Amino acid sequence: MDYFVWKQLLKNLVLPPTGPLLLAILGLLDSPSGGSYTLNGKSVQGLKLSERARIRNREIGFIFQAFNLIGDLTVYENVELPLTYRGTSSAERKQKVEHALQRVGMAHRVRHFPSQLSGGQQQRVAVARALVGDPLILMADEPTGNLDSKNGEAVMELLRDLHRNGATICMVTHDERYSHFAERTIRLFDGRIVEETKEAGVAV
């Protein structure tokens, strides 16, 4: 099976049970057992581990259900970390981190630690960390899974705003309530696409 990810405004919602594995493949954390995968017009087959790591760092942002923030780093430091690995200068890191935190409404929490934040706030910081490097695509694995309905809706509205501003988002969710946020919904079962729908009238 061939999977293509376009750089233009394309937002996919993938429903489990096999969605998380697909995200791992799309995010270059795993390899498919067959078929091919083309990312931004280039085949990823046969890429060295170092090249996969470089692409992940520069072109792909990850948003996890469990937030995956580092507890002994501040909000600012958590968001800054991907840029540090990239070797970005201090001045540029500062500019990008502040901008990313402003986009998610967390600029006032830069000195806080994850334990001092609510679940919804931690997920906003996780989104900022995924955005800070201006990735080609955001991979979101159950981004609302650990949130109550109010914070879940807030995170989904944030992702919708990011999409309207040009972000490509591929999201896995068990929650049918959020399917209306997607322009395109793909249902997977036992590794096969069993249904694909496109929503009419979704704002972009």
Side-chain angles (χ1 to χ4, degrees):
M1 182 175 296
D2 295 330
Y3 296 101
F4 296 90
V5 179
W6 289 269
K7 191 170 183 178
Q8 302 303 319
L9 302 185
L10 171 65
K11 183 179 179 183
N12 290 344
L13 184 95
V14 182
L15 300 181
T18 53
L21 177 57
L22 177 57
L23 276 195
I25 292 171
L26 295 178
L28 303 184
L29 295 171
D30 205 341
S31 298
S33 57
S36 61
Y37 169 30
T38 301
L39 177 64
N40 198 22
K42 298 179 181 179
S43 173
V44 302
Q45 308 304 115
L47 288 179
K48 296 180 180 179
L49 292 179
S50 59
E51 183 64 12
R52 284 174 169 260
R54 187 198 68 79
I55 293 173
R56 282 197 304 270
N57 183 257
R58 296 182 178 274
E59 299 186 24
I60 302 173
F62 293 91
I63 305 170
F64 302 97
Q65 177 179 350
F67 318 135
N68 288 8
L69 301 178
I70 299 175
D72 57 356
L73 297 184
T74 65
V75 164
Y76 183 97
E77 291 166 339
N78 267 282
V79 177
E80 181 187 36
L81 196 58
L83 299 178
T84 303
Y85 290 143
R86 190 181 291 188
T88 305
S89 69
S90 177
E92 186 178 358
R93 290 201 309 270
K94 184 175 186 296
Q95 180 183 23
K96 285 180 173 291
V97 170
E98 290 177 349
H99 178 62
L101 287 170
Q102 287 172 357
R103 290 180 73 181
V104 301
M106 290 295 292
H108 62 300
R109 300 282 188 176
V110 291
R111 292 189 175 89
H112 285 69
F113 291 90
S115 62
Q116 298 173 306
L117 305 177
S118 69
Q121 289 172 328
Q122 289 186 61
Q123 192 60 292
R124 286 177 174 270
V125 174
V127 172
R129 180 185 57 193
L131 286 174
V132 72
D134 299 317
L136 165 67
I137 185 169
L138 291 177
M139 302 291 181
D141 187 3
E142 296 280 5
T144 63
N146 285 340
L147 304 178
D148 58 33
S149 59
K150 180 179 179 181
N151 281 310
E153 286 287 335
V155 167
M156 290 304 301
E157 287 293 345
L158 171 60
L159 294 178
R160 172 182 274 175
D161 287 343
L162 294 172
H163 173 55
R164 286 171 174 158
N165 287 315
T168 297
I169 301 171
C170 185
M171 187 181 86
V172 168
T173 185
H174 284 93
D175 199 328
E176 294 277 358
R177 292 175 301 168
Y178 299 129
S179 63
H180 71 279
F181 282 89
E183 291 176 5
R184 184 180 176 194
T185 302
I186 300 173
R187 298 175 188 269
L188 302 178
F189 183 76
D190 287 344
R192 296 182 180 276
I193 295 176
V194 296
E195 183 182 0
E196 180 176 352
T197 60
K198 295 183 178 180
E199 298 293 329
V202 177
V204 294

